[in-house]
């Protein structure tokens, strides 16, 4: 089935130099935007996107068509489109393929979306570390501008659209849409209080639609094919429509980004797309389904959905990794589809160590605004360091749960949940491993994360320099 | 007025109120750190989380230990909302004391102390610290974290008035918001992330605007301390009296914190008054307590310059009587003061009336720089009160007095208060008089020019009333007792009147306070407040 699938969203990935406008245009780019701007009413475009059941590709899975409907501009308001390309979730690397290989698809999607929602300006906020992608996108924007597609009269239509790229400054939290808006405005990247939501008061105080790079990139295909046709490409139509990019990394033979219909299973992703497990003697132990914030699944756990009205009843008794990957199905499973980029872990992984690795990241990236996240993320990491180093106590497992339970839902943005959920998920799925480590540290001979990294980097000190410094004693600026 | 239910009690609210603001107005405290009634909502401390009973459950599960299965199983909990941000509404049933809320409060409290040095014994905030208060009411447990705290910069000089300790900081950003929203000067912000966060001063700047002490005032913990107050007093030894700032015509309400053992005023703090200063005071006002300690007239003074002698206050009064008796009563000039209390001015005005003198003048400090926040350009607290005491607007200044002295229209001077806009050289005719009597708490240009100075109590040592630029009469209370042998100003003036045979017949300050008719009710309320 992988062989006979004709890619849509990534159709130009195989075309050499598709990031050049001329090449992209020969392969279909901008035809839809031209048609949409010259012949379609904004409402008609919005209707198609609504019919497409395009669930947001940034992680939350909110239907894009419905989000666009939240706009209710007042007289004199400017509407902004902001495209979230701050792809920083560990294990997630799909948006950058669009930026690198087919930036004109994103620009075309942005043009159509601007026309549909009444925006004259779009900002593409890109993770600062993706310098290569930013350069490619900027070059593509220059070409589109020179050609007149972006600017005062796109395709000759008297509807100016300007598109700007804006690099981030190295903060994971700026992928949260309101922190992104703060960063875009030159403020500290901290999530804003909601309400008001961006559709009411977003960039520069104006009504703003924030969508993921992949979401916007899907718009040209939806308009070209018609929302319903595009939606029905999905195995989970009509609730969760179309095709999407799947990422897979970790212990598989062919890690990478693959396009497939919405609703394939994790097992298909691993075996058919990822080429199966990396080592024949190391079976699959667990999968983080959609970016590191999503609770882990394990193949040897069966779906318990005996009740006929249970949303997962169809898969009752099957393995968790045989449930189709959809926004609603995975939520019913107690995890999230997130960014749809799976991290595959084989039997050599110790979950406590994996948890420590993740918590180092979250501790480092918490913006520090809300108490539960600022202190909770640090304490989770600190406790896991103690446990991993053999200084744990039996009650530490309960402590980890207690910290994470009380981070859940108690902060301004979802970062605390993104930290606590994987922590809770790992303890729920691999309780015994945590109990053992709390009693005696990590087992002898496991594949230590730091040693692996050190092996790659050459210098073990570098590998642990940042995350391990729980008790940072940097005292610059002390004037005591 | 609409209302909602908070912990089984009906709480009224005004449109636009949040749960926390409505509760605050009703005198009910929902615990909080970052919220301040005079600042925007930050909702970052998460101490004020409450349970809205009509609210939803969390979408994602938490874990609960299942004893039977001996493992963790998914569980659910209600989504708590920050009371500081959640709008009050008619049908709301809110709990700030349920078990789930208590658990959240306890955790927030534990987290705030997780990387805190707990150095209360050397911290100036101890005794009025929210971390201490809420630990006692909402946590009461030993810290469960076993490792060293995250160390951060300590004793950082933010500017001439403020010192910062990042380890004690809870990143509530109240100080940042005071600078942004009250002063309009974005001189503070947060930097770094997570539990390395700290507040810092904009590069190339100091925290040096006119309201820097308000950053310390709003700091709920010991992170920001006043360089003036730190290490001087333990707050639990301090008592407080209601004061009115003497700095300018705004009349900011304040707490006068004093140590009853040493009878010293140690600091001033703003006292909330929505109609005058809201929650704030300027740095000059906050520092105005220094006048109670510095440059005081503590004894009677007779003579001038080198020949000036210290005498007892009663002896100075006797000198005054003797000198003034040598001048015809209607030739005595009376100088009221825009810096003295209304009562002191009223006592002097009555004496003038009793002596048949029509020569009334007003001494005032020159204008200083005002602003649109609090500071009035009029550097005097009681210009309106002095006019009120005189019964009419005092048109004639000390400059006019000098002219009248030169012209021979007046032959003696009695003044209350030592401050005036003129330089000493300009007062030469007054400095040449045999009979120039000044009642003063502090040295100033008028007392320097006087032949007799009678010491009187400062504002911190008396009761009195200032009438501010709004025409609002505001009473202040005595904080500390006057230095030995020193009387309150009105009483000293009354004694002089008695000795001159023009007894005022007043026993209480209230009898001296001439109420402006329109303001009577408001002022009465103010006086009794």
């Amino acid at each position: 089935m992988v062989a006979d699938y004709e890619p849509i969203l990534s159709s130009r990935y195989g075309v050499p130099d598709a990031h050049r406008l001329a090449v992209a245009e020969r392969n279909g780019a901008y035809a839809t935007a031209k048609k949409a701007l010259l012949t379609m009413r904004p409402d008609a475009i919005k209707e198609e996107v609504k019919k497409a059941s395009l669930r947001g590709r940034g992680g939350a899975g909110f239907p894009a068509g419905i989000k666009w409907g939240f706009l209710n501009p007042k007289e004199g308001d400017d509407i902004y489109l902001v495209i979230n390309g701050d792809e920083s979730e560990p294990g997630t690397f799909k948006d950058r393929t669009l930026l690198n290989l087919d930036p004109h698809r994103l620009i075309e999607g942005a043009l159509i979306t601007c026309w549909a929602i009444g925006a004259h300006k779009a900002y593409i906020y890109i993770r600062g570390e993706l310098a290569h992608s930013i350069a490619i996108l900027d070059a593509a924007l220059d070409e589109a501008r020179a050609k007149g597609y972006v600017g005062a009269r796109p395709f000759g239509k008297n509807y100016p659209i300007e598109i700007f790229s804006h690099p981030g400054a190295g903060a994971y939290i700026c992928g949260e849409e309101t922190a992104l808006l703060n960063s875009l405005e030159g403020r500290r990247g901290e999530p804003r209080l909601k309400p008001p939501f961006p559709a009411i008061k977003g960039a520069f105080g104006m009504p703003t639609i924030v969508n993921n790079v992949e979401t916007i990139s899907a718009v040209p295909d939806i308009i070209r094919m018609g929302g319903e046709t595009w939606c029905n490409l999905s195995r989970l139509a009509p609730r969760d429509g179309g095709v999407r990019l799947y990422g897979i990394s970790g212990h598989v033979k062919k890690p990478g980004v693959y396009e497939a219909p919405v609703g394939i299973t994790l097992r298909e992703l691993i075996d058919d797309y990822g080429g199966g497990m990396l080592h024949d003697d190391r079976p699959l132990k667990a999968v983080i389904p959609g970016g590191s914030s999503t609770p882990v699944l394990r193949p040897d756990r069966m779906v318990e959905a005996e009740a006929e009205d249970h949303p997962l009843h169809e898969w009752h008794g099957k393995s968790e990794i045989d449930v189709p990957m959809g926004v609603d199905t995975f939520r019913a499973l107690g995890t999230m589809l997130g960014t749809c980029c799976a991290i595959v872990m084989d039997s050599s992984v110790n979950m406590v160590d994996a948890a420590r690795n993740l918590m180092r990241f979250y501790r480092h990236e918490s913006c520090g605004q809300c108490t539960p996240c600022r202190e909770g993320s640090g304490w989770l990491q600190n406790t896991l360091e103690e446990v991993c180093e053999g200084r744990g106590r039996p009650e530490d497992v309960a402590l980890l749960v207690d910290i994470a339970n009380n981070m859940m839902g108690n902060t301004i943005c979802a970062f605390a949940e993104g930290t606590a959920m994987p922590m809770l998920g790992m303890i729920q799925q691999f309780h015994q491993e945590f109990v053992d480590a709390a009693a005696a540290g990590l087992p002898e001979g496991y594949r230590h994360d730091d040693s692996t990294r050190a092996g790659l980097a050459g210098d073990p000190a570098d590998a642990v320099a940042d995350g391990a410094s729980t008790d940072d004693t940097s005292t610059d600026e002390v004037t005591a | 007025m609409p209302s909602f239910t908070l912990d089984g009690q009906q709480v009224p609210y005004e449109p636009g109120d949040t749960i926390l603001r409505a509760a605050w107005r009703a005198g009910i405290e929902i615990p909080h750190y970052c919220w301040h009634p005079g600042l925007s909502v930050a909702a970052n401390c998460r101490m004020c989380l409450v349970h809205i009973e009509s609210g939803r459950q969390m979408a994602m599960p938490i874990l609960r230990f299942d004893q039977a299965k001996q493992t963790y199983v998914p569980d659910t909990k209600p989504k708590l909302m920050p009371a500081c941000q959640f709008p009050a509404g008619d049908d709301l049933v809110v709990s700030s004391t349920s078990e789930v809320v208590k658990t959240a409060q306890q955790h927030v409290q534990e987290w705030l102390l997780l990387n805190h040095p707990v150095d209360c014994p050397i911290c100036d905030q101890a005794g009025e610290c929210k971390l201490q208060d809420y630990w006692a009411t909402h946590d009461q447990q030993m810290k469960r974290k076993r490792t060293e705290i995250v160390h951060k910069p300590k004793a950082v000089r933010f500017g001439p008035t403020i010192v910062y300790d990042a380890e004690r900081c809870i990143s509530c950003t109240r100080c940042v918001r005071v600078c942004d929203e009250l002063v309009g000067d974005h001189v503070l912000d947060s930097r770094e992330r997570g539990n390395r966060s700290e507040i810092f001063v904009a590069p190339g700047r100091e925290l040096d605007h006119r309201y820097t002490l308000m950053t310390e005032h709003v700091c709920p913990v010991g992170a920001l301390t006043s360089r003036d107050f730190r290490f001087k007093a333990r707050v639990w030894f301090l008592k407080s009296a209601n004061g009115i700032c003497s700095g300018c015509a705004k009349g900011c309400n304040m707490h006068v914190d004093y140590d009853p053992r040493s009878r010293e005023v140690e600091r001033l703090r703003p006292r909330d008054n929505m109609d005058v200063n809201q929650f704030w005071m300027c740095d000059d006002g906050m520092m105005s307590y220094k006048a109670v300690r510095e440059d005081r007239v503590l004894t009677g003074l007779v003579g001038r310059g080198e020949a000036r002698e210290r005498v007892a206050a009663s002896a100075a009064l006797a000198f005054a009587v003797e000198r003034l008796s040598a001048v015809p009563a209607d030739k005595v000039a009376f100088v009221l003061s825009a810096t003295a209390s209304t009562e002191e001015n009223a006592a002097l005005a009555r004496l003038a009336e009793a002596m048949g003198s029509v020569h009334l003048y007003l001494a005032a400090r020159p204008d200083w720089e005002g602003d649109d926040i609090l500071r009035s350009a009029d550097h005097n607290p009681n210009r309106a009160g002095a006019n009120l005491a005189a019964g009419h607007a005092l048109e004639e200044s000390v400059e006019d007095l000098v002219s009248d002295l030169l012209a021979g229209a007046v032959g003696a001077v009695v003044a209350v208060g030592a401050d005036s806009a003129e330089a000493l050289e300009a007062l030469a005719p007054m400095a040449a008089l045999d009979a120039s009597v000044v009642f003063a708490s502090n040295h100033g240009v008028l007392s320097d020019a006087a032949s007799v100075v009678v010491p009187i109590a400062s504002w911190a040592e008396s009761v009195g009333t200032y009438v501010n630029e709004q025409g609002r009469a505001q009473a202040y209370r005595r904080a500390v007792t006057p230095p030995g042998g020193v009387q309150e100003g009105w009483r000293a003036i009354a004694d002089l009147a008695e000795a001159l045979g023009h007894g005022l017949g007043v026993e209480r300050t209230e009898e001296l306070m001439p109420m402006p008719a329109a303001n009577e009710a408001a002022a009465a309320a103010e006086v009794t407040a």
Side-chain angles (χ1 to χ4, degrees), chain B residues 174-186:
Chain B
R174 274 185 177 191
C175 54
V176 177
R177 284 175 283 145
V178 156
C179 293
D180 285 358
E181 296 164 19
L182 174 71
V183 192
D185 180 6
H186 188 62

Side-chain angles (χ1 to χ4, degrees), chain A residues 22 94 103 119 131 150 167 208 218 220 234 244 248-249 262 286 306 310 323 355 391 401 438 453:
Chain A
K94 62 180 181 66
V150 172
T208 303
S234 161
R244 65 185 302 161
I248 182 164
S249 62
V262 167
E306 211 159 346
H310 194 287
V323 174
R391 295 189 296 268
V401 172
R453 273 200 275 174

Side-chain angles (χ1 to χ4, degrees), chain B residues 158-181:
Chain B
F158 267 15
T161 58
I162 297 292
V163 178
Y164 175 65
D165 184 327
E167 290 184 354
R168 293 180 189 157
C169 180
I170 60 165
S171 294
C172 71
T173 69
R174 274 185 177 191
C175 54
V176 177
R177 284 175 283 145
V178 156
C179 293
D180 285 358
E181 296 164 19

Side-chain angles (χ1 to χ4, degrees), chain B residues 76-87:
Chain B
T76 177
K77 70 169 181 176
K79 168 79 178 139
L80 302 180
M81 303 306 284
C84 67
Q85 188 199 354
F86 201 85

Side-chain angles (χ1 to χ4, degrees), chain A residues 368-372 374-375, chain B residues 32-35 42-47 108-117 125 129-132 134 152 164-175 177 190 194-199 218-224:
Chain A
Q369 193 177 193
C370 303
T371 309
R374 178 179 68 236
E375 299 297 343
Chain B
H32 61 270
Y33 288 95
C34 68
W35 185 80
N44 60 33
C45 76
R46 315 309 281 185
M47 191 65 187
V108 169
Q109 181 57 33
E110 180 178 28
W111 281 325
L112 287 173
L113 287 172
L114 205 63
N115 288 301
H116 185 285
Q125 191 78 12
C129 178
K130 290 278 196 183
L131 284 172
Q132 292 180 325
Y134 290 153
K152 292 197 270 195
Y164 175 65
D165 184 327
E167 290 184 354
R168 293 180 189 157
C169 180
I170 60 165
S171 294
C172 71
T173 69
R174 274 185 177 191
C175 54
R177 284 175 283 145
S190 308
N195 60 12
R196 293 183 180 110
S197 296
E198 56 172 299
I199 304 295
V218 296
C219 183
V221 300
L224 295 175

Side-chain angles (χ1 to χ4, degrees), chain B residues 427-451:
Chain B
L427 300 180
M430 180 177 162
L433 280 183
D434 255 1
S436 58
V437 179
V438 173
F439 293 86
S441 60
N442 292 63
H443 290 285
V445 62
L446 292 183
S447 60
D448 288 349
S451 62

